[in-house]
């Protein structure tokens, strides 16, 4: 299934790139923007295209062929993407696997009925993740492909540089926050706010409150900004109030904090 999942994604990427090229969109930045939007929210595309994508996924999942056929299809698609004569990609291809910790959780839940034979990978609780990465790398090893694996509870020991298999990988934990860099945090948040909203007092207030309550945490900031984008910034301060109430059981009213019957005023200066 890991190979079929990779094939589906590569075919979708090829579809986006060829469609963009046919529409006269040659700029790499525009390609990346279209692909990113599609990854984040597939219903941004037309219903007809969405239906075609669903059929493609089902067809590949139900495809009664052996692994060699899937392998050949992946290689052929990669060759088209990186074709020297007429490449659809002008630079490296990055394959991102987000929420990699979910694979670990599935393994822990299914340990009683393991999907993979017991191995040394069992010691770090990462057998499923490593199997997926091994399969994908076997398909892409001859191409300019870089993997980005993100998730919590991914132990550095599981991908130690002392292990020859993972020696070329770099494990890092200095991501996911803006630390004390309030300027960078503000730039990130304001980058998603429409200029007209930033000109409004309630828009600037919302930015200040996001900065104060998220305290540099990238994941929480991204989640809130994502919801604001999906809601077209309708009543953003009320939405932020609801988020904080749900997470912390604190009732907020436009910068005022009500805890039980005690009211405290937050300074936004």
């Amino acid at each position: 299934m890991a190979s079929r999942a990779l094939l589906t994604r590569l075919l979708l990427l090829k579809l986006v790139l060829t469609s963009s090229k046919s529409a006269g969109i040659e700029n790499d930045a525009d390609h990346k923007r279209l692909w990113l939007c599609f990854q984040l929210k597939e219903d941004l595309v037309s219903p007809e295209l969405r239906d075609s994508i669903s059929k493609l996924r089902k067809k590949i999942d139900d495809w009664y062929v052996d692994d060699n056929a899937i392998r050949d299809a992946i290689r052929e698609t990669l060759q088209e993407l990186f074709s020297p004569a007429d490449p659809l990609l002008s630079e490296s291809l990055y394959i991102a696997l987000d929420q990699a910790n979910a694979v670990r959780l599935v393994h822990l839940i299914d340990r009683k009925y393991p999907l993979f034979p017991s191995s040394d990978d069992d010691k770090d609780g990462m057998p499923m993740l490593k199997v997926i990465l091994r399969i994908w790398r076997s398909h892409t090893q001859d191409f300019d492909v870089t993997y980005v694996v993100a998730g919590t509870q991914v132990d550095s020991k599981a991908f130690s540089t002392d292990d020859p298999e993972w020696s070329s990988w770099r494990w890092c934990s200095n991501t996911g926050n803006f630390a004390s860099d309030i300027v960078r945090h503000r730039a990130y948040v304001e980058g998603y706010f429409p200029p007209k909203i930033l000109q409004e007092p309630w828009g600037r207030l919302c930015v200040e409150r996001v900065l104060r309550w998220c305290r540099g945490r990238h994941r929480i900031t991204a989640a809130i900004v994502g919801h604001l984008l999906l809601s077209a910034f309708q009543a953003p301060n009320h939405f932020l109030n609801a988020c904080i109430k749900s997470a912390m059981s604190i009732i907020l009213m436009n910068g005022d904090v009500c805890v039980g019957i005690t009211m405290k005023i937050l300074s936004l200066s």
Side-chain angles (χ1 to χ4, degrees):
M1 292 305 293
S3 295
R4 292 173 187 253
L6 177 61
L7 175 59
T8 301
R9 226 56 192 171
L10 289 174
L11 288 174
L12 290 176
L13 174 60
K14 176 186 168 185
L15 174 63
V16 169
L17 292 176
T18 53
S19 298
S20 299
K21 194 170 184 178
S22 299
I25 302 174
E26 299 288 348
N27 188 292
D28 279 346
D30 290 332
H31 288 161
K32 292 175 182 177
R33 189 176 298 109
L34 285 170
W35 181 240
L36 176 61
C37 288
F38 172 72
Q39 299 285 307
L40 295 174
K41 192 165 176 60
E42 290 189 8
D43 58 7
L44 289 174
V45 302
S46 66
E48 294 79 13
L49 181 55
R50 245 187 350 260
D51 184 56
S52 299
I53 292 170
S54 297
K55 289 179 179 177
L56 172 64
R57 284 177 174 150
K58 189 174 189 312
K59 187 170 184 178
I60 292 177
D61 286 342
D62 297 340
W63 203 6
Y64 292 105
V65 295
D66 61 22
D67 292 341
N68 290 331
I70 300 294
R71 180 200 61 205
D72 293 343
I74 291 174
R75 185 168 189 82
E76 181 180 333
T77 305
L78 285 167
Q79 287 173 338
E80 291 182 65
L81 290 172
F82 288 101
S83 170
D86 187 23
L88 291 171
L89 290 173
S90 59
E91 53 187 270
S92 300
L93 171 63
Y94 287 84
I95 297 179
L97 179 61
D98 198 8
Q99 299 290 345
N101 49 293
V103 180
R104 177 178 180 273
L105 292 174
V106 170
H107 166 68
L108 293 176
I109 293 171
D110 291 345
R111 180 166 285 176
K112 185 176 180 181
Y113 306 100
L115 296 177
F116 301 104
S118 179
S119 68
D120 290 340
D121 295 335
D122 263 329
K123 294 183 294 186
D124 52 46
M126 293 288 164
M128 291 180 66
L129 176 58
K130 286 186 174 180
V131 168
I132 291 171
L133 293 175
R134 285 184 186 120
I135 292 172
W136 287 358
R137 292 174 74 192
S138 71
H139 293 305
T140 62
Q141 59 186 350
D142 296 330
F143 300 89
D144 188 6
V145 175
T146 299
Y147 287 90
V148 179
V149 181
T152 57
Q153 299 179 342
V154 178
D155 194 337
S156 60
K157 295 178 182 178
F159 297 93
S160 172
T161 54
D162 294 333
D163 185 340
E165 182 180 11
W166 309 104
S167 59
S168 63
W169 289 63
R170 184 171 71 90
W171 186 94
C172 59
S173 61
N174 58 340
T175 60
N177 68 80
F178 296 97
S180 58
D181 193 344
I182 186 67
V183 174
R184 192 162 62 93
H185 194 187
R186 182 186 299 279
Y188 175 88
V189 175
E190 291 184 346
Y192 291 98
F193 274 62
K196 288 184 178 180
I197 291 181
L198 287 176
Q199 294 173 7
E200 299 289 341
W202 55 267
R204 295 194 298 273
L205 173 65
C206 185
V207 171
E208 296 299 330
R209 297 179 70 206
V210 170
L211 297 178
R212 176 173 289 276
W213 284 98
C214 292
R215 298 293 181 90
R217 292 171 177 81
H218 181 278
R219 188 171 184 174
I220 301 175
T221 304
I224 289 176
V225 169
H227 281 290
L228 291 175
L229 287 169
L230 291 176
S231 66
F233 291 89
Q234 296 295 316
N237 283 295
H238 289 294
F239 170 75
L240 184 57
N241 291 349
C243 286
I244 297 170
K245 178 183 177 182
S246 175
M248 303 175 63
S249 299
I250 296 176
I251 301 174
L252 294 168
M253 296 185 299
N254 298 328
D256 297 339
V257 182
C258 296
V259 185
I261 60 173
T262 304
M263 177 174 284
K264 301 176 182 177
I265 308 297
L266 282 180
S267 170
L268 297 176
S269 60

